[in-house]
Amino acid sequence: MRLSHITIQGFKSFAKKTTLDVTHQVTGVVGPNGSGKSNIAEAIRFVLGEQSIKSMRGKTGTDVIFKGSEHLPALSRASVTMVIDNKNKTMKSIDTAHANQDLAPFLVYDELTLARVIYADGTSDYLLNGAKIRLKDVQELLSFAGIGGSAHTIINQGEADKILLASPRDRKESLEDALGLRVYHMRLNESARKLERVKAHVHEVELLRKEIKPHLTHLERQVQKIESQEEERKKLLVFLEAYLSREEYELAVLRERIVEQGTSSSLLLITDSIRKELELLKHAKHDSHTGGVAEKQTLQAEMRSLFERRDQITKTLGRLEAEKIYIEKEIAKQKENKDVIIPHNDFKDIYKTVKNKFEIIHKAFATSSFNEAQSGIKDILFFLESFFTKHAIHEDSNHESYHHSKKILEQDIKDHEEKAQKLEKDISIIEEKISMIDMHTQKTIQTKHEEEKKIMILESKLRELESTIALRKQEEGEIELRKQHFDALLQEGVMIVGREVLSYTNKIIEEKYKIMPKHDLLRAIERSKLRIEEAGIPNRGEVIAEYKTTKERDEYLTKELIDIRDSEEKLLALIKELTSSLEERFSSGVKEVSKVFSEFFAEVFVGGKGKLTLVDLIKIDDDGNQIVEQGIDIDVSLPNKKIKEISMFSGGERALVSIALLFAMSSITPPPFMVLDETDAPLDESNARKYGVMLKRLSEKSKLLVITHNRETMNHCDMLYGVTLSVDGGSRLLSIQFKEAEEYVQ
Ligand code: ATP
């Protein structure tokens, strides 16, 4: 890579845009004091990403912006642009193993323009080919370009012997810088930072895992319980399926049998109809019986009355017959005797007859048989009339009267005989009626017997039915109870094992459950239910979901931990690799620098010896541990002088030693360019010549920008720029080039 040119605008005294061609081997910058020469070195320091304002002789960042003069206004921004020729693509060939991916796209360009701009508000931007990049990218880019930090590339006025006065550790750092090992340090630091972050992350993840561990263990146990519950549920499902299908079958068989034998309600309907029939039967029996009895009683009473009347008529007929016989005798007697004598027996008879008649009448009245009473009264009158007529006839004309009485008697007998006949007829009618009634009664009784028999049968049937109904009700009740238990079990089953249990009818039941006694099956169900209940975990779904999430989180953390540990290992490997590369390159670099330093030293101090040595430095770290660090010591001996302490060297000697060392350091990994700001200032003429020789050697490897007042040094320049302070108050650059001065300001 080649530095092409530098453009400064608004930076310190360079108000106007000024371009400095740095393509020559040695470019000199000359000019009077205060003209702005050092400002050029600082402009280069600025664009290289210098962070120390002090090293640019300012207090704040904005101090580098042109502050204005009598003739020129103050500016609001300062910018420095460095143009790098990348046609040979050396940038691309840089150790890309560790290349910054943000820079990679730019490394293919033929020209790289690195710019730094600072604004009045103190903010600043870094631009690579116009695109904003970070300071880190700038540092890496420069590191790749071998420019390293500005500390080594730009040696300020009076800073030359800084390297001599530095501590072995600082010297080591400067040497590493010069050897281009800064990038390793950057990488190491970055890796160490990453490692710290990774370790913190590991710690964080481990903490998180530790935190969730007890919860996860708890959830694991819960889930195990749930799983064992699941097992038990499966068992319960099998038991339930076996039990329910068997019970359902048995209930169906029982129901069928009951329907076949008659349900209690159907039997009740039969009993109702039997009861109605019984009712009817019992009612019918009462009517026929009472009707027949009453009629017969009436007829019998009538009969008795007819008998009595017949007897009476028979008696009357007997009397009339007797009377007739008597009259006939009297008639016969009269034929012999006309006197009427009333025999004593007649008198007794009439008395007896009348008395009997009265008794009959009395009875007839008593039984309200008025016809009978009336007939009795008529009989009495008839007897009395017959008696008096008989005896009157006897008195008046007994003879005639006896004939007359006889006629009447005969008529009377005839009437009575007729009456008797009629009575006989009536009696026979009634007797017929009674016999009819008896016949009917007989039939009724027979029917009654049949009905009673039927009633008996029906009643016994009713009793039998009632007991059957009671039994049936009991059976139906049992079936109902079993059905209720069945339904409750099914419902409970759905709640415990889910709706799958409802498909029990479609399941094939294992043989062993088919033959297992049902009460054992039921006991197994109860035990299973109890076990599930005991292991009961509320919110199963939530627990499982939470377990899943926690487990996933734990797995994620575990994976993350593996990944982080993997990157930790990679980082450690990288650190190891970088450290060993660094150590290797450093130790070989130290040897090389020491060799070149010895040569320079011998050249500058003829007969003198100089070399670099690595020393171990003991350091106590923050934790009180001893750490061994390496440092660089400078061993020198001047010809004909015993002193070895550099501090005891003269200023010119010190300047030469330090320049020799700086030049030696730069010669191993030569930077593309170096800025030497009046490093030759303390040298006398003879030493300036020696300086010039070293400058020449150094310029073979690096382009040099030399700010000097020294003529000897100027002799070694291929190109000279003169800096003047213009009348407007800004610095101006004039190319001298040992030719006619040419204004280079645009
Ligand atoms: P010497 O030979 O004495 O070392 P020099 O040529 O190196 O001098 P510089 O130190 O580069 O000179 O320049 C100093 C000049 O720059 C001073 O005149 C100073 O006023 C001017 N200067 C510094 N900062 C600013 C600024 N921000 N704005 C304007 N001028 C500035």
Side-chain angles (χ1 to χ4, degrees), residues 410-426:
E410 282 168 351
Q411 186 59 46
D412 208 6
I413 286 165
K414 196 184 166 196
D415 288 348
H416 276 84
E417 278 171 351
E418 278 173 9
K419 271 188 190 173
Q421 274 170 9
K422 193 177 174 291
L423 273 172
E424 285 304 327
K425 207 176 166 186
D426 286 350

Side-chain angles (χ1 to χ4, degrees), residues 12-13 31-40 57 63-68 157 677-678 707 709 725 729:
K12 288 208 166 180
S13 55
N33 293 133
S35 58
K37 299 185 296 295
S38 295
N39 289 345
I40 294 174
R57 297 177 294 168
D63 282 349
V64 299
I65 303 172
F66 180 69
K67 291 199 185 304
Q157 205 173 347
D677 187 1
E678 294 188 42
I707 299 168
H709 287 289
L725 204 59

Side-chain angles (χ1 to χ4, degrees), residues 650-681:
S650 77
E653 285 169 340
R654 264 206 319 271
L656 273 182
V657 173
S658 60
I659 289 164
L661 181 56
L662 284 172
F663 285 7
M665 280 159 65
S666 304
S667 66
I668 306 303
T669 315
F673 72 93
M674 279 182 78
V675 181
L676 303 168
D677 187 1
E678 294 188 42
T679 37
D680 55 1

